Amino acid sequence: MTDIPGTGIPGVLLAGGLARRMGGGDKPMRKIAGRTILQRVIDRLAPQCSGLIINANGDPARFAAFGLPVVADDVADYPGPLAGILAALDWVAANRPDAQWVLSAAGDCPFLPRDLVARLAQARAAENAELAVASSGGQTHPVIGLWSVRLRNELRQALVVEDVRKIDRWTARYPLATVEWPTEPLDPFFNANTVEDIAEADRLAALDGG
């Protein structure tokens, strides 16, 4: 099966962060204008993806209300989002053998673009790239991207043997498409890292339709 933009691409929500700047806990479970950040992410991506999974460590029962598979890292010591992406690629290879690509998105970005998957897929195909990532305001967002399932063994080698942790160190090895989004009326890749960011997100939610 050949994936076409917006179809056939499963997505992973990276919800495994430790939220130290918020005093710990699950950052995506914080609420913005009455809805959890994670629910907002799901609402944005579900229409764009052929199924979603959550990457998180610890007790998966805390995400039971969302009705999605929860996949933990299988690389020890919380090595960061690349471990979550690897877990997703392995899960998709085992459970969705039809899928060649996986979308990753941060579980704390409540205003993701509604054309995220389509534009990443179009750019990747147009540039014959192995990977595609999102950008806004001149800043790349490497956790929000499109990943080739067939690279999962190379990613495991980089993580486990070479101790690569930064996503851009990994993506630098491959042809990479970068897609820019506008930041007005709001940056679609705004992420809530602090308590103050939650207050700002409440304000932005009104600009984004609630």
Side-chain angles (χ1 to χ4, degrees):
M1 169 182 168
T2 300
D3 291 323
I4 59 175
T7 66
I9 298 177
V12 57
L13 314 180
L14 301 172
L18 302 178
R20 292 188 180 96
R21 281 182 281 179
M22 286 191 188
D26 289 307
K27 188 168 38 171
M29 303 297 272
R30 303 295 175 103
K31 288 190 175 181
I32 294 171
R35 280 191 292 154
T36 65
I37 297 173
L38 187 57
Q39 187 61 59
R40 288 176 175 273
V41 175
I42 291 169
D43 291 346
R44 285 302 174 98
L45 292 183
Q48 303 184 52
C49 293
S50 65
L52 296 173
I53 64 174
I54 296 171
N55 164 246
N57 300 301
D59 185 0
R62 66 194 193 278
F63 298 106
F66 298 101
L68 298 175
V70 180
V71 180
D73 298 346
D74 70 352
V75 179
D77 301 323
Y78 299 103
L82 277 176
I85 291 166
L86 175 60
L89 295 178
D90 285 342
W91 187 92
V92 168
N95 295 277
R96 288 285 309 279
D98 60 303
Q100 300 175 33
W101 308 93
V102 175
L103 175 89
S104 68
D108 62 354
C109 287
F111 309 121
L112 290 169
R114 291 182 170 87
D115 59 355
L116 178 64
V117 179
R119 288 195 60 203
L120 288 175
Q122 287 163 356
R124 189 215 58 77
E127 298 179 33
N128 196 28
E130 294 271 17
L131 309 165
V133 296
S135 177
S136 63
Q139 178 183 355
T140 300
H141 307 291
V143 299
I144 300 171
L146 207 58
W147 308 84
S148 172
V149 177
R150 70 179 183 81
L151 296 180
R152 69 188 190 282
N153 292 329
E154 294 174 36
L155 177 53
R156 181 175 296 280
Q157 166 82 12
L159 265 172
V160 176
V161 178
E162 301 170 43
D163 200 35
V164 171
R165 293 293 180 262
K166 290 181 66 67
I167 294 181
D168 49 10
R169 274 192 64 201
W170 161 251
T171 58
R173 301 179 177 188
Y174 302 94
L176 176 70
T178 301
V179 184
E180 179 83 11
W181 270 266
T183 56
E184 297 295 336
L186 58 88
D187 188 337
F189 305 110
F190 171 92
N191 65 318
N193 281 318
T194 66
V195 174
E196 291 75 20
D197 287 341
I198 295 291
E200 174 68 1
D202 281 329
R203 184 186 72 80
L204 292 175
L207 297 177
D208 195 53

